[in-house]
Amino acid sequence: MLKYLRISYFIISLLSLFDGISKENKPNVLFILVDDLGWLDLGYQGSKFYQTPNIDSLSNEGTKFLNSYSTHPRCVPSRYGIMTGKYPARTKSPGPGSQLNTSEITIAEALKENGYSTFIAGKWHLSRGDRGSSPEEQGFDVNFGGGDSGVPKSYFYPYNIQTRGKGNENAPDITKLPIVEKGYHITDQLTDLTVDHIKNYKKEKPFFIYLSYYAVHTPFESKEELERKYEKKVIKMYGSREVDEFSYESTTGETKLRQDNPIYAGMIENMDTNLGRVIKALKDKGLFENTVIIFTSDHGGLSNRGNGRPLATSNLPLRAGKGHNYEGGIRIPTFFVWKNKIKSGWSNTIITGTDYYPTILELTKNEQKPDQHLDGISFAKSLFGKKQKNKQRPIFWHSPRPRTKSTGDLANTAVRLGDYKLLDFYREGRVELYNIVNDEGETNDLSKIMIDKKNELLNLVKEWRISVDAIE
C-alpha cells in the first residue's frame, strides 16, 4: 500500500510541476520595464560594450525570447498596449487622444480584483494634464513617481530642473516622490522605494509590483564614475573617440553604427546594479521563488535621427531604432523568471506587448478577460516548454505620426506573419517585404519577387486598419 501511495504522490508532483502553477499559492508578480532599452543593449543579448551582470545572471534562470516585440516604437502607445492588452491604434495612438482613460481595465485592475496588492514606482506616461487617468484610478494601491511625465528633466535631484542634455525642458514635472538630498539619482530612489515595499510586505496578499524606470531615456546623465569608466572603455575598444560613426538612408535618416556612448553605458550599468538590489530584497525576504519576474523594454533603442540630436546606442544588425517599425525599433529584450517553474533557455515564440496581460492572468491562475485584452494572447505555455497554438497569428504595428526630423521615421503600418514581415508606407504608395528569419537586418526587399505573399500581407494590413479604426 505504501508503495502505491508513493507512486501516486510522485505522479501528482509531476503533474503539478508540468502545470507549473499551484492553485493555492498564487505567485507575486514583479514587472520591470526599462525605457528605450535596445535589443542589443545587454550582455546576454550580445553587447560587448555595456556591462549588465545582474540582468545577465537573472536571465539565465528563465525563458528568454528571441522574437519579443513592443506594440509600438514609441513610449506612450507601447505602454498602453502593455497595460490594456490592446493595440494602441484602437485609441488613435499616438495622438492627442491616446492617453489611457478609466473606461479601460488595466492588468493592475484585473489583478487587484483577484486579491492582489498593487504598486508602481516610476514612469506612467499615460496621462497628460486633463487627459488620461492616473495609476491610482487604474488599479494601483501605491504610486511613487507615476504621472504625466515621460522623462525627468534631470536624473539627479531635483529631477524637475534641467541640468544636462536638451529637449526636455517642456516635459511635465515628475511628482509623487519623497524629497531626497540634492544630487540623488532617480533610478536609485525608485529602487529604494521598491526595496522598502518588498521589505515591508506582510504576505497577506500576493503583490503586483510595476517597476518602471525612467532610465535609460534621455537626457543622457550618468554617475560621473561610471561615465569615466566607459570613456576609457571606448578608447580601449575602438582606439579613439573621434570616428565617423553614422550611415544614412532616406527611409531611416542617420543611423549610429556602434555602441560607444559612455554616458548611456553608465546609465545602463546603474540600472543593472539597481535591479540586482531588487532581486536581493526578494531573496532576503524569502519571496524570490514564488515571484514571477518579467523584464522588458518599451521599444527599441534610440539609434536614428533626422536632426543631429545625440544618439544613445546602435541596434545593428537590426535596422533602425526607436520610432521605426523596422526590427531595431520594435524588437526588444524580454525574459521571464519563476524559480523551479519556468524553464530556462531561449524561446522562438513570437510575442508582443499586448500579450503580457493575458499571460500574467494565466500565470496567476486568474480567468482570461478577452473582452478587455482584445489583442493579447497568453504565451504561458511556452514558458513551461509546451507548444504555443498562436504561432502563426499576425501581429501589427501602426505609426501614423512619424517624427522625421527627430528619429527619421516615416508613416507606415507593419505586419509580421510567421517568417515574413511587410511594411506599408501608405502615404507614399509603396511596400517593403522581408523574410525576418533569413534577413533580420531587413536588407533584401522581396516585394517585387514574392507578389502573392506581398498581396496576402498587404490585404491583412488594410483589413486590420479598418477593423481597429486606425487613423492614417
Side-chain angles (χ1 to χ4, degrees), residues 35-53:
D35 199 349
D36 280 21
L37 186 72
W39 167 248
L40 295 164
D41 285 353
L42 302 168
Y44 87 86
Q45 290 286 105
S47 177
K48 303 299 182 185
F49 186 57
Y50 309 123
Q51 294 177 212
T52 54

Side-chain angles (χ1 to χ4, degrees), residues 325-327 330 395-397 412-417 419-426 430-436 442 445-447 450-462 465:
N325 283 332
Y326 292 117
E327 293 291 285
I330 54 178
I395 55 174
F396 297 91
W397 301 268
N412 69 89
T413 308
V415 61
R416 177 170 176 178
L417 178 62
D419 293 352
Y420 291 92
K421 178 180 169 189
L422 178 135
L423 295 94
D424 175 23
F425 294 91
Y426 51 87
R430 64 179 182 86
V431 301
E432 297 175 8
L433 175 68
Y434 302 99
N435 183 315
I436 294 301
E442 296 167 292
D445 182 3
L446 303 172
S447 62
M450 300 183 68
I451 305 300
D452 289 345
K453 178 59 71 173
K454 179 196 75 172
N455 290 337
E456 175 194 357
L457 296 186
L458 183 57
N459 286 334
L460 268 180
V461 161
K462 290 178 178 178
R465 276 199 300 253

Side-chain angles (χ1 to χ4, degrees), residues 88-93 398 462-472:
R90 290 186 181 276
T91 188
K92 313 300 183 188
S93 187
H398 183 57
K462 290 178 178 178
E463 291 171 1
W464 177 80
R465 276 199 300 253
I466 293 171
S467 72
V468 299
D469 194 23
I471 60 171
E472 295 185 27

Side-chain angles (χ1 to χ4, degrees), residues 134-414:
S134 68
E136 293 91 335
E137 295 173 294
Q138 299 282 182
F140 286 97
D141 299 320
V142 180
N143 172 21
F144 285 113
D148 294 0
S149 185
V151 59
K153 295 185 178 73
S154 172
Y155 275 89
F156 297 97
Y157 193 84
Y159 311 126
N160 298 317
I161 298 176
Q162 188 173 7
T163 58
R164 187 175 184 177
K166 63 179 182 178
N168 301 298
E169 62 271 10
N170 296 321
D173 285 352
I174 293 175
T175 58
K176 301 175 183 177
L177 282 177
I179 295 172
V180 291
E181 65 268 26
K182 185 177 181 181
Y184 204 68
H185 200 282
I186 193 169
T187 304
D188 297 348
Q189 186 179 14
L190 294 175
T191 303
D192 292 344
L193 294 164
T194 303
V195 167
D196 286 345
H197 187 73
I198 292 169
K199 288 180 177 179
N200 295 323
Y201 173 61
K202 302 298 184 184
K203 299 186 180 181
E204 295 170 354
K205 297 180 178 181
F207 64 67
F208 172 60
I209 292 176
Y210 180 57
L211 176 53
S212 178
Y213 285 122
Y214 285 96
V216 286
H217 197 291
T218 55
F220 299 136
E221 288 186 317
S222 170
K223 294 179 179 179
E224 186 174 349
E225 65 273 18
L226 291 175
E227 184 178 343
R228 300 287 88 80
K229 170 184 173 178
Y230 284 99
E231 285 177 345
K232 293 176 182 177
K233 190 168 184 177
V234 169
I235 295 172
K236 183 177 180 180
M237 286 184 66
Y238 303 113
S240 170
R241 183 84 176 108
E242 300 299 325
V243 295
D244 180 13
E245 54 179 338
F246 302 98
S247 65
Y248 175 82
E249 62 174 328
S250 59
T251 55
T252 59
E254 285 189 312
T255 299
K256 189 172 175 63
L257 298 180
R258 72 184 196 187
Q259 296 179 338
D260 63 2
N261 186 325
I263 307 173
Y264 183 75
M267 294 171 73
I268 288 178
E269 181 171 332
N270 187 56
M271 179 272 297
D272 176 82
T273 298
N274 278 284
L275 178 140
R277 293 175 55 211
V278 176
I279 301 306
K280 182 178 183 300
L282 287 175
K283 291 180 177 179
D284 290 347
K285 190 74 174 180
L287 299 171
F288 179 73
E289 292 192 359
N290 196 39
T291 299
V292 175
I293 302 168
I294 304 161
F295 177 95
T296 192
S297 173
D298 59 349
H299 51 68
L302 177 61
S303 64
N304 289 74
R305 67 189 183 190
N307 60 0
R309 70 189 298 195
L311 293 177
T313 192
S314 172
N315 300 309
L316 294 176
L318 302 186
R319 186 174 179 181
K322 178 178 179 177
H324 294 262
N325 283 332
Y326 292 117
E327 293 291 285
I330 54 178
R331 199 189 297 190
I332 52 175
T334 299
F335 62 82
F336 276 59
V337 172
W338 188 4
K339 187 72 172 178
N340 298 323
K341 300 288 195 309
I342 288 174
K343 68 166 188 166
S344 61
W346 289 91
S347 172
N348 284 311
T349 302
I350 300 171
I351 66 173
T352 188
T354 59
D355 299 338
Y356 296 121
Y357 193 141
T359 301
I360 291 170
L361 289 182
E362 185 168 350
L363 290 174
T364 55
K365 278 298 182 184
N366 292 308
E367 291 184 4
Q368 297 289 289
K369 298 179 180 291
D371 292 339
Q372 295 173 15
H373 49 77
L374 288 176
D375 303 304
I377 298 177
S378 172
F379 53 84
K381 286 183 174 61
S382 65
L383 298 171
F384 301 111
K386 303 177 187 179
K387 289 186 178 179
Q388 201 70 34
K389 292 181 180 179
N390 59 335
K391 186 176 181 181
Q392 287 297 315
R393 59 130 180 192
I395 55 174
F396 297 91
W397 301 268
H398 183 57
S399 296
R401 296 178 181 272
R403 297 180 185 175
T404 307
K405 291 184 179 180
S406 176
T407 46
D409 52 304
L410 303 172
N412 69 89
T413 308

